[in-house]
Amino acid sequence: MSAADWVVVDTGLRPAHEHMALDMAFMAACAAGEIANCFRFLRFEPSALVGFHQSPEQELNLAYCTEHGIAVQRRLTGGGAIIFDPQQLGWELVCRRSALPGGDMSSMARIICEAAARGLGHLGIDAQFRPRNDIEVEGRKISGTGGIMDGEVVLFQGTVLLDLDIATMLRVLRVPAEKLDAHAIASVGERVTSLRHLLGEAPGLAAVEDALLQGFTEHLGMRFVPAPLPQAVAERLPAALAEVTAPEWLGMQGRGREWMPQKSAVLRVPGGTLRAEILLDQFGNRLRQVHFSGDYFVQPRRAVVDLEAALRNIHLDDLRNVVQAFFVEREWDGFGLLPENFADVVQRAAEAQS
Amino acid sequence: MEFHGCEFRAELYYDRECQIWARKEDDGTLTVGMTDISQSIAGKILHVRVRRPGTRRPKGKPVATIESGKWAGPVPNIFDCVIVLANEDVLEDPNLLNIEPYEAWIARVQPVAPVDIAIKEMVTGDAAFALYGERCVRDDIHCERGMR
């Protein structure tokens, strides 16, 4: 095989702990130089996955997960909590850093996301990369991604939403919504989409996998050869399974929910009524999630969703600068609503009693 | 001193890829942190996790992990050591690693071997600066400091 050749391994539908262990085993085998560059497809039994540095208690409704048999696991990769069920397809690259174009980590993520978006375009949708690491269609997220770099080994993974049960997602993930009703579901529907929603029906898995691979071939010149699970990975799997099923793995970051309260505030201004629900990480004073609602009109509508994305994980001290920079960079009309109104309502929420 | 805008401090010890720095302390411990090169490649750092004090970390097992822009990654560890202390300021505000990478240390560790043996694979002074420059050229790295 030449450097452009990648093996494609479909590890199929499995419980979350097996996929996390496979990630570990693939990385270890790659670090040892015992496997070729690898593109893996994976699907999950119902599960909720937190990012590597996240606390399950802060990010998930653990009681609901237990009650409904939804497995909880920790990813090796960064980013936020997500839910998985068999209606989502996972894809990932495991390779040496030298197998990908150079540059810093954000440019590497961008190139991979652009390749995935190009592939999804073959399904007849207008998929685009959205900074920092998402793929969207007309402003709605259809694929989230995250990565880990350990020395020279890179694992970068993403999802494709063939279909999505928003009601369950809202019950599993801790989201800053006032209440979980039809309005909340509609609100998430403005931010997330799926292939079924876009195309009328979900395409077959094989079609989605082929489209993704085609995108990576066209964008990055990769050539793909199907392969079974490499022996070097299988050999490392038992030890990895022991690691991800040990309590220390999930519990490595177990900060309590009291450190990340949900807060809200309402602002009445000439442009309307603006409400902000936030999750504020008080360890470090960072906004983890912001959700705007209320009685106002903004054109284009996606400006509000994009602002919510821009405010994720920022330090509260940076709030006004981020909001100001966000609106300077784009054309929008708030019909009386001003940029500072968004900063004001978030600031009020942060200062409110939870 | 700097190369491609990447600050370099000649008195510190560096791994050969210039990803981390270490400083010898009077009590026999080592203070470790990320270089300006590493923080620039990583981008804005959102999370830092340091293993609990008292935890032994063999060579190759990271003392700490960081996360930036949905990328997680270990901070490389090149000596067998026991963690003594994490920098609480950095845990609370990881962005400090972008702003002042040589002041914002990550952890203090006690090497298992005598300190000079522990760092024998590290480089310092002019030899380190040569490697630092080579890395900047090889990977076309130009540093930018984070801003609050």
Side-chain angles (χ1 to χ4, degrees):
Chain A
M1 293 205 317
S2 79
D5 286 330
W6 289 59
V7 296
V8 180
V9 179
D10 187 344
T11 51
L13 181 66
R14 293 174 185 246
H17 68 278
E18 287 189 20
H19 280 312
M20 298 304 105
L22 280 165
D23 279 346
M24 274 185 191
F26 267 102
M27 288 198 72
C30 185
E34 295 178 19
I35 57 171
N37 298 324
C38 189
F39 197 106
R40 175 160 89 104
F41 288 114
L42 54 163
R43 286 189 308 135
F44 290 74
E45 293 175 4
S47 45
L49 310 179
V50 293
F52 183 78
H53 287 98
Q54 290 188 308
S55 158
E57 190 184 334
Q58 287 186 337
E59 304 294 336
L60 305 175
N61 293 314
L62 293 173
Y64 183 89
C65 293
T66 303
E67 196 178 325
H68 292 82
I70 296 168
V72 174
Q73 255 295 337
R74 180 181 298 286
R75 296 195 308 273
L76 277 66
T77 52
I82 56 173
I83 65 162
F84 253 118
D85 66 38
Q87 294 305 309
Q88 291 88 48
L89 175 67
W91 55 269
E92 65 185 34
L93 295 79
V94 186
C95 62
R96 311 287 293 184
R97 191 174 172 173
S98 56
L100 296 168
D104 61 18
M105 295 166 94
S106 68
S107 63
M108 200 183 305
R110 168 184 284 271
I111 288 165
I112 297 170
C113 289
E114 286 171 346
R118 186 163 172 174
L120 293 175
H122 290 298
L123 296 169
I125 60 173
D126 182 22
Q128 304 287 337
F129 168 69
R130 174 171 74 185
R132 288 179 284 264
N133 286 354
D134 291 331
I135 299 165
E136 63 166 35
V137 179
E138 293 163 1
R140 297 174 188 192
K141 179 172 167 178
I142 194 163
S143 174
T145 65
I148 173 173
M149 187 179 298
D150 187 353
E152 287 302 302
V153 178
V154 173
L155 185 155
F156 194 89
Q157 58 191 189
T159 57
V160 179
L161 304 179
L162 278 80
D163 201 354
L164 179 64
D165 179 353
I166 293 175
T168 298
M169 184 181 94
L170 287 172
R171 290 182 177 93
V172 172
L173 303 183
R174 193 165 171 230
V175 289
E178 192 179 5
K179 52 190 174 187
L180 302 183
D181 55 10
H183 181 71
I185 291 172
S187 177
V188 172
E190 287 184 8
R191 293 157 171 79
V192 181
T193 191
S194 67
L195 291 175
R196 187 183 70 80
H197 182 81
L198 291 165
L199 299 172
E201 61 178 340
L205 279 172
V208 181
E209 292 177 2
D210 288 347
L212 280 168
L213 295 178
Q214 193 178 342
F216 280 89
T217 297
E218 291 167 354
H219 202 65
L220 292 170
M222 296 176 180
R223 294 193 300 261
F224 295 105
V225 181
L229 188 70
Q231 183 64 24
V233 175
E235 286 168 2
R236 289 170 167 86
L237 191 54
L241 279 168
E243 187 167 350
V244 302
T245 52
E248 294 77 21
W249 174 250
L250 201 55
M252 74 165 69
Q253 215 295 47
R255 201 167 285 130
R257 201 172 262 218
E258 68 277 11
W259 280 93
M260 197 163 78
Q262 180 172 332
K263 296 174 160 219
S264 64
V266 177
L267 189 69
R268 290 181 179 82
V269 290
T273 301
L274 185 58
R275 180 182 181 90
E277 302 273 348
I278 67 170
L279 289 177
L280 179 67
D281 190 346
Q282 295 183 326
F283 184 81
N285 222 18
R286 283 179 186 274
L287 292 166
R288 292 300 178 200
Q289 292 188 55
V290 177
H291 180 262
F292 293 109
S293 60
D295 181 15
Y296 59 86
F297 194 68
V298 170
Q299 193 68 14
R301 286 172 66 88
R302 67 166 296 166
V304 175
V305 178
D306 288 344
L307 177 61
E308 290 171 355
L311 293 176
R312 265 182 177 251
N313 294 316
I314 68 160
H315 197 287
L316 200 55
D317 289 352
D318 297 336
L319 171 64
R320 289 186 187 280
N321 288 340
V322 172
V323 171
Q324 190 179 25
F326 176 87
F327 283 110
V328 163
E329 287 168 3
R330 70 198 61 227
E331 292 206 358
W332 76 294
D333 193 342
F335 299 90
L337 211 56
L338 303 172
E340 53 264 39
N341 298 148
F342 289 93
D344 286 344
V345 73
V346 173
Q347 185 70 44
R348 276 194 196 185
E351 292 167 1
Q353 295 294 317
S354 51
Chain B
M1 298 168 78
E2 65 174 50
F3 198 100
H4 281 189
C6 304
E7 185 183 351
F8 174 85
R9 296 197 179 177
E11 72 278 15
L12 300 174
Y13 291 79
Y14 300 83
D15 65 299
R16 299 190 72 81
E17 287 289 307
C18 301
Q19 298 173 91
I20 61 164
W21 57 263
R23 184 177 66 223
K24 290 200 276 187
E25 304 295 344
D26 293 340
D27 61 0
T29 61
L30 289 165
T31 299
V32 296
M34 291 173 69
T35 62
D36 204 1
I37 287 177
S38 291
Q39 73 79 18
S40 292
I41 292 171
K44 195 164 187 172
I45 297 167
L46 299 173
H47 295 281
V48 175
R49 173 177 176 259
V50 178
R51 292 287 183 134
R52 286 192 186 87
T55 308
R56 182 166 176 177
R57 301 304 286 161
K59 179 179 175 180
K61 294 288 182 184
V63 167
T65 53
I66 63 163
E67 184 171 328
S68 59
K70 297 193 184 182
W71 282 99
V75 177
N77 174 30
I78 60 170
F79 36 70
D80 191 356
C81 65
V82 175
I83 294 165
V84 175
L85 191 66
N87 184 348
E88 290 293 331
D89 291 340
V90 164
L91 295 183
E92 200 160 321
D93 188 0
N95 197 202
L96 293 173
L97 294 172
N98 299 112
I99 297 167
E100 280 293 340
Y102 297 104
E103 306 298 333
W105 53 278
I106 295 174
R108 192 153 294 155
V109 301
Q110 180 71 58
V112 172
V115 68
D116 286 325
I117 293 175
I119 60 170
K120 71 178 189 306
E121 292 177 20
M122 301 185 91
V123 284
T124 189
D126 290 344
F129 189 56
L131 287 175
Y132 199 82
E134 284 173 22
R135 173 87 199 278
C136 289
V137 171
R138 187 189 77 204
D139 294 336
D140 193 22
I141 299 164
H142 298 261
C143 290
E144 281 183 32
R145 282 295 170 86
M147 303 279 285
R148 161 59 69 225

